[in-house]
Amino acid sequence: EVQLVESGGGLVQAGGSLRLFCRASGFTFSDYAMHWVRQAPGKGLEWVSAISGDRSLTTYRDSVKGRFTISRDNADNTLYLQLNSLKTEDTAMYYCAQGSRGNNVVFMATMSRGQGTQVTVSS
């Protein structure tokens, strides 16, 4: 059974930083691309970033490029998202999601997600 547990969220002032963690179990972590997605109150799910299983490919939505960094430790089954220069519009519940096998970094809303970690950015 796929299990994804996010942590690291919190309340931070605009311009601040946070590091999100996603601990994975129940599957061979290194075989799968992984995603971060988010959902703000009253809004739909929004894809944020993805990384391939072998870490050779990373992608970001335009609004977070240069501010967020996705990474993974395949030996520790952990996915990370470093959030820098946070803006109030980054406020959302952040989820990690199990992607497709290998280097396919296309996100689909049906992919398994964890329960999320809340990021709140104050002005």
Side-chain angles (χ1 to χ4, degrees), residues 2-115:
V2 172
Q3 290 196 331
L4 301 166
V5 180
E6 301 92 339
S7 62
L11 173 62
V12 63
Q13 286 190 325
S17 297
L18 284 171
R19 194 180 197 201
L20 306 185
F21 304 82
C22 170
R23 191 65 187 265
S25 61
F27 62 103
T28 303
F29 184 67
S30 59
D31 284 352
Y32 290 82
M34 294 293 295
H35 301 265
W36 286 101
V37 298
R38 66 187 181 186
Q39 188 164 23
K43 296 190 177 181
L45 196 64
E46 181 176 84
W47 174 82
V48 175
S49 182
I51 185 168
S52 59
D54 65 0
R55 301 181 297 177
S56 63
L57 178 63
T58 58
T59 61
Y60 301 90
R61 70 179 300 106
D62 286 347
S63 62
V64 307
K65 282 180 182 177
R67 300 189 299 120
F68 291 7
T69 303
I70 191 170
S71 61
R72 64 191 295 163
D73 182 342
N74 286 344
D76 199 34
N77 289 358
T78 304
L79 176 72
Y80 304 96
L81 187 68
Q82 179 68 40
L83 290 67
N84 296 332
S85 303
L86 281 160
K87 304 177 180 180
T88 55
E89 52 263 44
D90 295 318
T91 294
M93 185 71 78
Y94 283 71
Y95 303 88
C96 63
Q98 180 196 31
S100 300
R101 282 185 175 272
N103 289 354
N104 181 354
V105 292
V106 175
F107 176 72
M108 294 184 289
T110 53
M111 289 174 170
S112 297
R113 301 194 297 270
Q115 293 193 325

